[in-house]
């Protein structure tokens, strides 16, 4: 094993040094170039630029729950992440605990073995059960455990062709100028040779920590937190990652009822923190970690405190932090001018509850005011949109279809205004509507009424017209709204959001709609499961899929794909088929309700109807891909389709042949996305079978797939189209943004009243429903 480690290290020394590796990766766009040290990163997303990183492993991370031995699986995953970052060209250093725990395990084993031998020789085996272990002195444990701990690190890093070196330090090494220079020189040389230094306090000789012994402007080495901070500043590290057994920093002890997790911590916020007890092991606590983190931050090193013990995140916690994901508590010197996204969500929820309590007329007033503003401030909106369009065209990052979605016009704003007024009129009876009334017993009535869902997060790409539509639906349904638009429409979204808040202000609920304009990643927003009740993505299928994967604790309303089919039966009308297929495919090819696959009954091949269909598609410049069965009928076929489950989103489609209506249904069930599917036929029985058997959100007979739209359904507007099996399905308008609650009115009734000994019996009589006005009793 020793020869293997030596060979591994010699291989590493023969490679180019870490700086050369880093520069080469940077030149290829894989890594950032080295930055000038002296100022910490202002935002989490900047952590991707970190080159020199110190990872501090707390005692609770390294040791097992019984404090006797190391958590090997956890340690292995951390080593893997550090080695991966090192091999990317970063310079990694580890400050580790664990020597005492490793030594304690080793010494206990030796003492038990020694005692058992002595007792066996002198007293017989019958007294072995009375053996007791002496209290082990920490310094002795450290001395016994340091070599084993280092050997373990070497063995683990060797698996990734990474060499390590051990450095033991004490507080005195930093107070002596010559020793400090020697230490820095040694560390610089190790990093130059692409070696990972593993640093620990020399607990075998270190004196007990002295309270309040910090020198002016210099942190004293009392524990590995202060050691990591001092080392990070001395070595001008870009980032210090301190792993412990808590998620990060809370404003009060974790586990207490009012404890609130702090995603970001700013200097000066210390007065708002109440610290709890220390970790189960180690000599530092959260207060020591915060003090060390602030000192490192002041010295120009960014700091993140995160959980290194959680089994679900340990395997990627370090890499997630370096990628800028919202993990742990990030220490930043730059406090944002506006509220954080968490504060925005709380503000929205509070104002949303007030909005939900309004009379229907008040919510309608707000929507009508927003409709007026869209036309009154038309010039401002179009001016902002022009800036976004010019930027999109100059950068060339958006596809023509996306640029088209980004564009606003006077006619589009007028249409939006009309649509909003329709919502205002149609929403009068939405919130507080009684769906069911039951007389459970005498003087005991139960009602099921509609209520808002709560806080909605709508994430949309490129389409700024989505903002006023969704805002109006949220207002009408009494929901709070968090909006995250694409940066390509930043100027347009900003002015539209200002208008929405201006309209809300007429009844004092301006904060009910919030626009997230910070650097929050979509994935981070999807983790706010305690604050957001429903996520609605509006954009590409890739965006929807990404959000569905990221939002593990929040329901997502939407569809990841719009693979819509049109089946032309052998009894179809020629004129209807051509008209429907042209509209379904060519009206707006990028829409999610556009036709992607055309299914043709086998008997229609080589008929005038089929020839006219092909001629029409060619005239409309639609590229045709042949399905396997269709290709088999052709001598010279178009390009054969790569997959029958493809959403083209352009003037392209697949044509496939089926032998019957039933085969068409089976094909759609296998390759479709349960969005919208159409049958074209004059046979009513065939059509009814298709409509009944097909399990899609929208199923049409002799109508274009483009009808799958909230506006065309008379919903006024839609927040999206859902292919989910529960809650709302198909185009989701106002009704899809409501849920229900049960209201029971009694006169001192108890469950015991209905027991065998009780005097009451259940009636369960259905009563006529009536609307519930907010804050009032039911009216007939």
């Amino acid at each position: 094993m020793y020869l293997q480690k030596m060979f591994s290290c010699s291989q590493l020394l023969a490679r180019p040094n870490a700086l050369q590796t880093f520069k080469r990766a940077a030149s290829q766009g894989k890594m950032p170039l080295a930055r000038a040290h002296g100022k910490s990163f202002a935002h989490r997303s900047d952590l991707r630029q970190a080159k020199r990183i110190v990872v501090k492993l707390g005692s609770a991370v390294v040791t097992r729950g019984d404090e006797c031995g190391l958590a090997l699986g956890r340690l292995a995953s951390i080593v893997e992440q550090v080695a991966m970052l090192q091999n990317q060209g970063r310079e990694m250093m580890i400050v580790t605990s664990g020597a005492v725990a490793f030594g304690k395990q080793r010494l206990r084993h030796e003492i038990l073995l020694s005692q058992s031998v002595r007792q066996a020789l002198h007293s017989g085996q019958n007294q072995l059960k009375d053996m007791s272990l002496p209290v082990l002195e920490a310094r002795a444990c450290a001395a016994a455990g340091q070599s084993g701990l280092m050997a373990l690190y070497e063995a683990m890093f060797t698996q990734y062709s990474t060499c390590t070196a051990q450095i033991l330090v004490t507080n005195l090494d930093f107070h002596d100028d010559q020793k400090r220079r020697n230490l820095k020189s040694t560390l610089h040389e190790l990093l130059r040779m692409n070696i990972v230094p593993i640093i620990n306090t020399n607990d075998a000789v270190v004196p007990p920590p002295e309270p309040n012994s910090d020198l002016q402007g210099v942190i004293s080495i009392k524990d590995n937190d202060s050691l990591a901070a001092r080392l990070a500043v001395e070595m001008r590290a870009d980032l210090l990652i301190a792993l412990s057994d808590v998620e990060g920093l809370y404003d009060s002890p974790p586990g207490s009822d009012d404890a609130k997790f702090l995603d970001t911590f700013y200097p000066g916020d210390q007065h708002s923190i109440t610290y709890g007890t220390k970790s189960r092991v180690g000599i530092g606590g959260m207060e020591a970690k915060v003090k060390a983190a602030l000192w490192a931050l002041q010295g120009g090193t960014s700091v993140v405190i995160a959980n290194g013990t959680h089994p679900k995140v340990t395997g990627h916690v370090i890499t997630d932090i370096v990628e800028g994901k919202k993990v742990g508590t990030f220490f930043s010197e730059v406090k944002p001018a506006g509220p954080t996204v968490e504060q925005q969500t709380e503000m929205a929820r509070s104002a949303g509850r007030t909005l939900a309590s309004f009379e229907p007329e008040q919510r309608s007033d707000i929507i009508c005011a927003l409709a007026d503003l869209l036309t009154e401030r038309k010039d401002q909106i179009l001016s902002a949109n022009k800036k976004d369009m010019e930027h999109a065209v100059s950068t060339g990052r958006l596809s023509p279809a996306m640029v088209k979605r980004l564009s606003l016009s006077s006619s589009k704003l007028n249409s939006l205004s009309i649509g909003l007024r329709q919502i205002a009129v149609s929403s009068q009876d939405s919130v507080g509507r009684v769906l069911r009334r039951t007389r459970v017993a005498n003087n005991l009535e139960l009602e099921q009424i509609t209520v808002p869902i709560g806080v909605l997060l709508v994430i949309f790409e490129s389409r700024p017209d989505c903002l006023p539509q969704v805002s109006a639906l949220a207002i009408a349904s009494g929901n709070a709204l968090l909006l995250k638009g694409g940066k390509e429409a930043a100027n347009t979204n900003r002015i539209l959001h200002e208008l929405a808040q201006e309209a809300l202000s007429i009844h004092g609920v301006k904060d009910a709609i919030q626009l997230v304009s910070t650097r929050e990643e979509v994935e981070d927003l999807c983790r706010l499961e305690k604050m957001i009740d429903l996520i609605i993505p509006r954009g590409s299928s890739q965006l929807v899929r990404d959000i569905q994967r990221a939002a593990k604790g929040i329901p997502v309303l939407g569809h990841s794909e719009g693979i819509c089919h049109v089946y032309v039966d052998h009894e179809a009308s020629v004129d209807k088929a051509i008209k429907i297929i042209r509209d379904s495919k060519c009206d707006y090819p990028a829409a999610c309700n556009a036709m992607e696959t055309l299914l043709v009954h086998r008997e229609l091949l080589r008929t005038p109807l089929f020839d006219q269909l092909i001629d029409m598609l060619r005239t409309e410049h639609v590229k045709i891909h042949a399905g396997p069965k269709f290709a088999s009928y052709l001598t010279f076929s178009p390009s054969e389709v790569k997959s029958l489950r493809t959403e083209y989103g352009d003037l392209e489609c697949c044509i496939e042949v089926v032998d019957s209506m039933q085969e068409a249904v089976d094909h759609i069930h296998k390759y479709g996305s349960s969005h919208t599917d159409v049958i074209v036929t004059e046979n009513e029985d065939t059509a009814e079978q298709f409509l009944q058997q097909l399990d899609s959100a929208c199923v049409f007979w002799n109508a274009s797939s483009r009808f799958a739209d909230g506006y065309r359904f008379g919903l006024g507007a839609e927040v999206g189209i859902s292919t989910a099996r529960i809650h709302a399905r198909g185009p989701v308008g106002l009704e899809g943004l409501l849920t229900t609650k049960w209201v029971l009115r009694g006169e001192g009734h108890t469950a015991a009243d209905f027991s065998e000994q009780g005097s009451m019996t259940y009636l369960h009589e259905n009563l006529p429903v009536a609307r519930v006005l907010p804050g009032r009793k039911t009216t007939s």
Side-chain angles (χ1 to χ4, degrees):
M1 181 58 125
Y2 177 75
L3 289 176
Q4 182 184 1
K5 292 175 190 171
M6 289 296 293
F7 176 70
S8 174
C9 288
S10 65
Q11 280 184 319
L12 288 167
L13 293 174
R15 297 182 196 167
N17 63 46
L19 185 58
Q20 291 170 333
T21 305
F22 185 86
K23 286 182 176 178
R24 183 170 64 252
S27 68
Q28 297 171 352
K30 297 177 182 177
M31 285 286 297
L33 289 170
R35 70 185 187 98
H37 189 80
K39 207 165 187 183
S40 60
F41 294 119
H43 305 282
R44 277 186 185 268
S45 57
D46 297 332
L47 296 180
R48 299 185 184 99
Q49 306 297 320
K51 173 193 171 185
R52 183 170 291 174
I53 302 171
V54 176
V55 178
K56 182 262 174 180
L57 306 179
S59 300
V61 176
V62 177
T63 60
R64 297 196 316 238
D66 60 5
E67 303 176 27
C68 294
L70 304 180
L72 296 179
R74 193 183 301 151
L75 202 57
S77 66
I78 290 171
V79 165
E80 181 180 15
Q81 294 172 79
V82 171
M84 185 183 77
L85 293 171
Q86 179 82 2
N87 291 332
Q88 287 178 358
R90 303 181 198 264
E91 297 175 347
M92 306 298 296
M93 292 179 280
I94 294 178
V95 175
T96 183
S97 303
V100 173
F102 196 91
K104 186 183 291 186
Q105 179 190 36
R106 192 171 175 183
L107 291 181
R108 281 187 174 183
H109 180 268
E110 292 296 327
I111 291 170
L112 282 172
L113 184 62
S114 176
Q115 285 183 346
S116 63
V117 171
R118 285 199 304 271
Q119 290 193 16
L121 290 173
H122 297 97
S123 305
Q125 294 289 339
N126 59 328
Q127 294 187 15
L128 288 178
K129 60 182 180 181
D130 297 327
M131 287 190 304
S132 61
L133 286 172
V135 177
L136 298 174
E137 205 271 331
R139 292 190 185 90
C141 292
Q146 280 170 353
S147 60
L149 178 65
M150 192 60 205
L152 183 62
Y153 273 119
E154 285 188 24
M156 287 182 172
F157 273 106
T158 297
Q159 305 305 312
Y160 304 98
S161 300
T162 302
C163 192
T164 58
Q166 181 183 30
I167 297 180
L168 297 174
V169 297
T170 66
N171 197 23
L172 299 176
D173 295 325
F174 288 93
H175 288 181
D176 186 292
D177 290 341
Q178 184 59 48
K179 289 184 177 180
R180 192 170 72 252
R181 284 194 295 270
N182 291 343
L183 174 62
K184 289 173 65 176
S185 176
T186 300
L187 288 171
H188 279 298
E189 183 65 13
L190 292 172
L191 293 176
R192 187 187 68 81
M193 293 188 293
N194 206 26
I195 295 173
V196 177
I198 297 178
I199 306 105
N200 194 1
T201 52
N202 192 354
D203 293 328
V205 300
V206 70
E210 298 178 17
N212 303 319
S213 62
D214 292 353
L215 302 176
Q216 183 65 32
V218 180
I219 192 169
S220 179
I221 308 301
K222 302 184 183 72
D223 50 44
N224 276 343
D225 295 312
S226 52
L227 169 60
R230 183 71 184 268
L231 188 73
V233 173
E234 291 281 351
M235 293 299 295
R236 298 192 171 188
D238 300 315
L239 173 62
L240 167 60
I241 300 174
L243 298 182
S244 183
D245 58 351
V246 291
E247 305 302 321
L249 185 59
Y250 290 78
D251 61 357
S252 55
S256 58
D257 290 339
D258 298 325
K260 180 182 176 183
F261 178 74
L262 302 178
D263 164 72
T264 307
F265 186 80
Y266 306 97
D269 287 352
Q270 297 95 313
H271 64 278
S272 63
I273 305 297
T274 302
Y275 296 103
T277 57
K278 295 193 299 182
S279 169
R280 62 176 172 81
V281 290
I283 60 174
M286 185 53 72
E287 188 171 5
K289 288 175 176 56
V290 172
K291 181 178 179 181
L294 291 174
W295 190 86
L297 190 68
Q298 188 179 12
T301 297
S302 296
V303 183
V304 175
I305 296 177
N307 192 337
T309 63
H310 197 292
K312 291 186 177 179
V313 300
T314 301
H316 47 82
V317 60
I318 298 173
T319 52
D320 281 354
I321 290 171
V322 176
E323 289 172 7
K325 295 182 180 179
K326 191 172 281 189
V327 178
T329 299
F330 172 62
F331 286 71
S332 174
E333 291 184 297
V334 181
K335 200 161 190 175
T340 65
V341 67
E342 290 84 0
Q343 291 169 335
Q344 283 185 291
T345 308
E346 290 175 354
M347 292 160 58
R349 186 181 290 279
S350 177
R353 285 172 175 156
T354 304
L355 177 67
S357 69
F358 282 172
E359 298 290 341
E361 294 76 15
Q362 291 176 286
R363 289 191 292 270
S364 293
D365 289 344
I366 297 172
I367 298 170
C368 290
L370 178 56
D372 291 338
L373 288 170
L374 288 179
T375 53
E376 292 171 7
R377 308 282 177 84
K378 186 183 301 182
D379 292 341
Q380 285 179 258
I381 299 170
L382 295 178
S383 175
N385 187 246
K386 184 180 178 182
K387 292 180 183 178
D388 290 329
M389 290 289 292
E390 289 173 349
H391 184 263
V393 173
S394 64
T395 56
R397 294 178 181 174
L398 296 183
S399 65
M402 292 285 277
V403 172
K404 185 178 178 181
R405 291 183 181 183
L406 178 61
S407 175
L408 288 180
S409 62
S410 294
S411 60
K412 189 174 281 189
L413 290 175
N414 289 332
S415 297
L416 276 173
S417 180
I418 294 171
L420 263 58
R421 294 183 187 281
Q422 290 177 346
I423 294 173
V425 173
S426 63
S427 64
Q428 291 292 320
D429 295 328
S430 57
V431 181
R433 185 172 74 254
V434 180
L435 302 179
R436 177 177 177 178
R437 289 181 67 203
T438 303
R439 180 178 288 117
V440 179
N442 289 328
N443 298 318
L444 186 63
E445 290 190 5
L446 177 68
E447 293 178 336
Q448 184 184 19
I449 64 173
T450 58
V451 293
I453 289 174
V455 178
L456 312 177
L457 168 62
V458 176
I459 302 169
F460 56 100
E461 290 178 324
S462 204
R463 289 183 58 176
D465 57 326
C466 171
L467 195 152
Q469 287 180 338
V470 173
S471 296
L473 287 171
I475 294 166
S477 57
N479 283 290
L481 181 61
L482 208 60
L483 293 159
K484 175 67 172 175
K487 59 183 178 182
E488 66 278 353
N491 294 297
T492 315
N493 288 338
R494 184 171 58 252
I495 183 68
L496 290 173
H497 174 247
E498 289 172 0
L499 297 182
Q501 289 203 319
E502 185 175 334
L504 288 162
S505 297
I506 66 175
H507 286 299
V509 285
K510 173 185 175 183
D511 292 333
I513 296 178
Q514 298 285 330
L515 179 66
V516 180
S517 55
T518 61
R519 292 191 178 193
E520 300 295 324
E521 298 289 343
V522 169
E523 186 174 344
D524 295 330
L525 291 172
C526 292
R527 292 175 179 173
L528 300 176
E529 69 274 2
K530 294 182 180 178
M531 310 181 80
I532 294 171
D533 299 300
L534 179 67
I535 299 176
I536 304 173
R538 296 286 303 270
S540 66
S541 58
Q542 187 60 50
L543 171 72
V544 178
R545 283 193 295 269
D546 290 343
I547 290 172
Q548 288 174 334
R549 280 194 295 266
K552 296 177 180 177
I554 310 174
V556 178
L557 188 151
H559 63 281
S560 59
E561 293 175 308
I563 305 174
C564 303
H565 295 73
V566 174
Y567 165 57
V568 183
D569 188 55
H570 65 290
E571 297 181 79
S573 160
V574 176
D575 292 338
K576 290 179 183 178
I578 292 174
K579 187 178 178 182
I580 289 169
I581 292 167
R582 177 187 283 117
D583 188 71
S584 296
K585 179 70 256 184
C586 307
D587 176 60
Y588 190 4
C592 63
N593 58 9
M595 181 194 78
E596 303 295 1
T597 298
L598 173 61
L599 299 177
V600 180
H601 195 285
R602 179 173 51 81
E603 293 182 12
L604 293 178
L605 294 178
R606 299 183 177 89
T607 66
L609 186 153
F610 183 75
D611 293 340
Q612 290 180 52
L613 284 177
I614 297 299
D615 290 342
M616 180 273 293
L617 292 173
R618 286 175 176 167
T619 302
E620 297 290 344
H621 306 289
V622 177
K623 183 178 180 180
I624 296 173
H625 302 276
K629 287 185 68 175
F630 180 44
S632 68
Y633 286 98
L634 304 175
T635 306
F636 300 100
S637 69
S639 61
E640 190 165 342
V641 68
K642 294 180 180 178
S643 171
L644 290 168
R645 193 181 283 111
T646 301
E647 182 178 12
Y648 298 99
D650 207 341
L651 285 173
E652 297 181 64
C653 75
C654 168
I655 297 181
E656 183 58 310
V657 174
V658 293
D659 292 336
S660 64
M661 180 276 295
Q662 187 59 54
E663 187 176 334
V665 169
D666 293 341
H667 178 101
I668 295 171
H669 282 161
K670 185 174 182 179
Y671 299 109
S673 61
S674 300
H675 191 294
T676 301
D677 300 290
V678 177
I679 182 172
V680 183
T681 185
E682 295 303 300
N683 188 311
E684 184 175 352
D685 291 338
T686 302
E688 287 300 330
Q689 290 181 50
F690 184 89
L691 298 177
Q692 292 174 17
Q693 292 183 30
L694 197 59
D695 186 22
S696 296
C698 299
V699 190
F700 301 158
W701 172 24
N702 288 345
S704 168
S705 62
R706 293 281 289 128
F707 272 100
D709 177 85
Y711 179 77
R712 294 184 175 96
F713 277 15
L715 304 179
E718 66 178 34
V719 293
I721 294 180
S722 172
T723 55
R725 304 292 176 181
I726 57 174
H727 186 51
R729 198 171 186 215
V732 180
L734 183 62
E735 296 295 324
L737 300 182
L738 297 170
T739 184
T740 64
K741 71 178 179 182
W742 295 91
V743 176
L744 184 65
R745 294 182 174 89
E747 294 184 4
H749 293 77
T750 67
D753 294 335
F754 298 89
S755 65
E756 292 182 3
Q757 293 77 28
S759 58
M760 301 191 70
T761 57
Y762 289 110
L763 299 177
H764 291 149
E765 296 176 0
N766 291 327
L767 302 174
V769 298
R771 192 181 182 283
V772 174
L773 298 177
R776 303 180 188 176
K777 290 188 176 181
T778 307
T779 58
S780 301

